[in-house]
Amino acid sequence: MNILVCISNVPDTTTKVKFADDNKKLDIAGIQWVINPWDELSLTRALELKDVASSEVAKVSVAHVGPATSEPTIRKALAIGADDAYRVNTEATDAMQVAAELAEVVKSGSFDIILCGIESSDYNGANVGGMLAEFLDYTSVSGISALNVSGGEINVTREIDGGKEQLVVKAPFVGIVQKGIAKEPRIAAMRGIMLARKKPIQVSEPKQAESATALLGFEAPPPRAACKFIDADNPKQLISLLQNEAKVI
Amino acid sequence: MSIIVYTENWDGKFKKLSFELSSYAAKLAEMLNEETIAISIGRVEAEELKKLASYGIKKIITVTDDRLQTFDSRTYTKVISDICAKESAQVIIMANNNSGKSLAPRLSVRLKAAICSAAHELPESISPFVIRKRVFSGGALARTELKTDIKLITLTQNSFDLCESPVDVVIEAFTPEPEGASPAITIKEQEKQTGKVLLADAEIVISGGRGMKTPDNWGPLEELAELLDGATACSRPVSDEGWRPHEEHTGQTGKIIAPNVYFAIGISGATQHLAGISSSKYIVAINNDKDAPIFEAAQYGIVGDAAKILPQLVEAVKESKAS
Ligand SMILES: Cc1cc2nc3c(=O)[nH]c(=O)nc-3n(C[C@H](O)[C@H](O)[C@H](O)COP(=O)(O)OP(=O)(O)OC[C@H]3O[C@@H](n4cnc5c(N)ncnc54)[C@H](O)[C@@H]3O)c2cc1C
Ligand SMILES: Nc1ncnc2c1ncn2[C@@H]1O[C@H](COP(=O)(O)O)[C@@H](O)[C@H]1O
């Protein structure tokens, strides 16, 4: 069984975002780029499944749609333990375009489980996984918080609104993962970093998929009212403010 | 042409979000001069269905096929897109919850519809169709143009006020085409929470962080939540430590919620935490460090010891309920 983990390249989560070009573009100066946290966890789980004795997972690959400048992020995934990588050589413009390009990667190989994160931490789209599944006409399962493979059977836990379900899913499918899939992201060891230098990154040219949306510009979120402090000796006043002023309780 | 709303029911009863979606659709329908149509999958009594008409829904299409009892996003997508095609959908509106997140992207490809996910307001213009959405976990808004003829919007819960505008409604049944392939998903087990307010649905959320000190201190926090019909939540370290169940963890890597009021008790307000809760209408912070970043995000704050303040809040709510 082969697993493909789709990884997006996002600003480190503590980045204070700034915009350039009259607020039309993200100001990339000084940004530390990392693997999207969800994708790091998916990769960790895929590798955990591969690393057990007599594993049924033969290979773990990663795929990324982005220009050469995102290769350090791909190398990091290889250093963590992915066997090989695919990169579609184009700037990512929106989810529809990224998913269409990823579909080509999937079709070019032989993958049983394709993992995407629930969302990218930059644009918070939560779209690529489902779109990819539809382009491929594969089943997709969202909200996966556990993934297991045994006896050729794929078992997942799916979070639903107000509960969870244990499912058996037929391959090939796209799994869209969320919290719980792995505990902590695996960290690249020195040996992994050395090995990663020799692992192959297969670069393909885009099929020039079109995007469905256009990003017109950014705005600061509306300012929130400054905090009103209530005396710690009289917390009851908070309740009356929430009842009579904010009218939320 | 029409505006389609995908509603959701829970054991035959609509969730509040279905009325929010309907209210949003009715407003959008006014802007576009279109009719609103709701889709309801599963068994819902006519009396319950008609509640949608109070929020401006003029037609309801029901699907009660037993094959849809297992939620498989692929088969659901087929059914919904067939209805959208039949009704010449121009805009499709769904909730930004687990089911909306799994259906909307698939529908978007199938119907060649651009998508704005996690929207919280109406579009600023219709032609071109421009809508703002929160990006960078609430750190900025992105003005986004949806360039395709058909558009898809997933709406954040609690972000749009209910708006009553009663109309006459017709109810129609839709029978999906038979599926050839055997199902790709089999459910082995299902666990559902009962009798508790769900975190995703809650309008009031009481959340505790490491400042709660030990898992034994959660009594008054839970009591406060119960008194207010709210849900309980926590920060990531609290669920990592096993003090609270992992379903309660809010933030960038946990649940993203938008209640009317979020109480952050003993929570420092790290950006990753704020990412999950910054869309809340009001944030109340209780923290013994006056410089904690949570106070920058909060509208009401108390600087003090949570262990002392919580029981007094419980008292105050009890008193106000009694009077
Ligand atoms: C990639 C990544 C993703 C992350 N995702 C999330 C996420 O989704 N959600 C999340 O929550 N965190 C997340 N984190 C962790 C986040 O950075 C913070 O570490 C975490 O939110 C801190 O939790 P806390 O506020 O409970 O604890 P602390 O930061 O330890 O804060 C405790 C607070 O309690 C106050 N306090 C102490 N004693 C009292 C008292 N007696 N009464 C009142 N107040 C008191 C303190 O002043 C302090 O402000 C993530 C981190 C990373 C790197
Ligand atoms: N440029 C990209 N290359 C590869 N995978 C991506 C890319 N962008 C998004 N993804 C995948 O899609 C998931 C959801 O992203 P999004 O829809 O952008 O929020 C991510 O967690 C990744 O798994």
Side-chain angles (χ1 to χ4, degrees):
Chain A
M1 213 172 265
N2 296 330
I3 304 182
L4 179 70
V5 180
C6 301
I7 56 171
S8 67
N9 183 31
V10 297
D12 177 83
T13 49
T14 55
T15 305
K16 194 117 190 85
V17 291
K18 290 187 301 262
F19 302 103
D21 255 14
D22 208 15
N23 284 337
K24 291 229 168 12
K25 277 214 178 97
L26 178 68
D27 182 356
I28 56 167
I31 288 183
Q32 181 92 25
W33 296 92
V34 298
I35 304 175
N36 187 36
W38 299 111
D39 308 343
E40 211 175 9
L41 290 170
S42 305
L43 176 60
T44 301
R45 183 62 193 151
L47 294 170
E48 284 169 2
L49 291 172
K50 191 189 146 203
D51 287 352
V52 293
S54 65
S55 166
E56 293 170 47
V57 175
K59 199 167 86 165
V60 174
S61 310
V62 294
H64 175 70
V65 177
T69 47
S70 48
E71 282 209 359
T73 297
I74 299 176
R75 286 276 169 222
K76 193 173 158 206
L78 293 171
I80 293 171
D83 296 299
D84 59 5
Y86 297 81
R87 179 173 70 82
V88 182
N89 186 29
T90 183
E91 200 75 54
T93 52
D94 84 340
M96 190 80 100
Q97 172 244 8
V98 168
E101 298 293 355
L102 285 173
E104 297 303 306
V105 173
V106 175
K107 285 187 219 155
S108 75
S110 149
F111 306 103
D112 304 281
I113 303 177
I114 296 125
L115 296 178
C116 284
I118 181 68
E119 67 169 33
S120 297
S121 64
D122 48 4
Y123 294 105
N124 310 121
N127 286 326
V128 169
M131 288 177 173
L132 173 60
E134 188 65 29
F135 275 121
L136 296 165
D137 197 22
Y138 283 7
T139 295
S140 54
V141 181
S142 292
I144 293 186
S145 61
L147 169 68
N148 280 294
V149 177
S150 85
E153 194 179 83
I154 304 166
N155 286 279
V156 306
T157 304
R158 159 165 86 177
E159 303 289 315
I160 54 173
D161 294 310
K164 53 179 130 190
E165 293 173 333
Q166 310 299 332
L167 310 176
V168 182
V169 193
K170 281 192 205 153
F173 81 105
V174 177
I176 299 157
V177 310
Q178 62 145 47
K179 181 185 154 73
I181 187 77
K183 238 181 139 46
E184 286 288 327
R186 198 179 273 202
I187 295 165
M190 203 53 213
R191 196 178 121 78
I193 297 168
M194 304 290 285
L195 285 173
R197 294 200 191 126
K198 293 199 201 83
K199 288 181 181 170
I201 301 181
Q202 197 170 312
V203 180
S204 58
E205 287 310 312
K207 69 167 216 170
Q208 311 281 5
E210 273 182 46
S211 50
T213 60
L215 184 63
L216 304 181
F218 295 99
E219 286 173 10
R224 281 185 171 255
C227 188
K228 195 178 245 184
F229 283 95
I230 292 122
D231 192 346
D233 294 328
N234 187 16
K236 293 186 177 176
Q237 201 205 336
L238 171 67
I239 300 301
S240 90
L241 284 169
L242 292 174
Q243 280 169 337
N244 305 317
E245 190 179 80
K247 299 192 168 58
V248 285
I249 64 171
Chain B
M1 303 252 258
S2 58
I3 314 279
I4 303 264
V5 180
Y6 175 72
T7 64
E8 283 172 64
N9 69 79
W10 193 261
D11 296 331
K13 295 274 177 273
F14 284 123
K15 298 185 177 182
K16 176 170 164 260
L17 70 91
S18 292
F19 304 130
E20 291 170 5
L21 298 172
S22 303
S23 304
Y24 183 93
K27 279 272 185 301
L28 190 59
E30 270 174 39
M31 293 170 81
L32 289 160
N33 204 9
E34 303 276 5
E35 302 279 278
T36 50
I37 301 175
I39 300 178
S40 163
I41 297 185
R43 279 175 219 289
V44 183
E45 299 291 333
E47 249 349 85
E48 182 72 15
L49 285 173
K50 282 183 186 149
K51 287 185 185 164
L52 295 172
S54 313
Y55 302 97
I57 297 291
K58 297 194 172 153
K59 179 161 148 186
I60 301 168
I61 297 178
T62 63
V63 190
T64 50
D65 198 296
D66 284 341
R67 288 166 300 177
L68 296 173
Q69 273 178 0
T70 298
F71 180 78
D72 180 341
S73 51
R74 190 167 171 221
T75 43
Y76 268 61
T77 298
K78 167 109 179 52
V79 172
I80 298 169
S81 65
D82 285 351
I83 297 175
C84 289
K86 187 165 159 260
E87 301 294 340
S88 319
Q90 192 181 358
V91 186
I92 301 140
I93 297 161
M94 332 187 102
N96 184 48
N97 59 3
N98 285 329
S99 25
K101 279 186 198 169
S102 51
L103 293 172
R106 298 201 69 130
L107 276 168
S108 137
V109 168
R110 192 171 272 242
L111 297 167
K112 297 197 170 41
I115 186 167
C116 172
S117 51
H120 60 279
E121 58 186 16
L122 288 163
E124 62 173 56
S125 74
I126 291 300
S127 179
F129 199 98
V130 178
I131 183 163
R132 301 190 305 174
K133 81 168 292 260
R134 295 190 182 93
V135 291
F136 297 100
S137 302
L141 297 171
R143 293 180 60 239
T144 309
E145 182 184 345
L146 307 188
K147 297 191 294 183
T148 49
D149 292 340
I150 305 176
K151 285 102 183 161
L152 246 155
I153 295 173
T154 67
L155 186 69
T156 303
Q157 272 164 273
N158 282 319
S159 65
F160 201 77
D161 289 334
L162 295 183
C163 171
E164 296 211 26
S165 54
V167 289
D168 289 332
V169 65
V170 288
I171 300 176
E172 261 178 31
F174 176 84
T175 314
E177 277 175 34
E179 265 279 343
S182 65
I185 293 176
T186 332
I187 300 184
K188 288 211 303 199
E189 233 181 276
Q190 191 179 53
E191 269 173 56
K192 268 196 181 180
Q193 263 188 35
T194 48
K196 259 185 87 180
V197 181
L198 297 178
L199 183 51
D201 294 343
E203 292 180 38
I204 297 176
V205 174
I206 321 283
S207 183
R210 208 142 47 179
M212 292 288 291
K213 300 287 195 249
T214 83
D216 306 328
N217 289 344
W218 248 265
L221 191 152
E222 286 186 318
E223 196 177 354
L224 187 60
E226 207 172 304
L227 284 167
L228 295 171
D229 276 330
T232 49
C234 67
S235 68
R236 181 163 108 171
V238 164
S239 69
D240 283 352
E241 294 283 342
W243 294 5
R244 300 294 297 174
H246 85 86
E247 295 86 9
E248 285 199 354
H249 148 207
T250 53
Q252 191 195 343
T253 48
K255 287 218 163 68
I256 297 173
I257 54 168
N260 283 335
V261 53
Y262 182 84
F263 287 73
I265 304 174
I267 293 177
S268 59
T271 46
Q272 296 95 348
H273 186 80
L274 295 177
I277 59 121
S278 61
S279 302
S280 309
K281 272 206 192 101
Y282 288 91
I283 296 171
V284 174
I286 299 172
N287 198 302
N288 64 2
D289 171 9
K290 70 172 181 10
D291 297 320
I294 189 72
F295 288 120
E296 284 162 40
Q299 289 70 56
Y300 294 103
I302 303 182
V303 181
D305 182 0
K308 290 209 185 92
I309 292 165
L310 262 172
Q312 295 186 59
L313 294 181
V314 169
E315 261 328 286
V317 175
K318 278 188 182 158
E319 278 168 23
S320 90
K321 283 201 161 184
S323 66

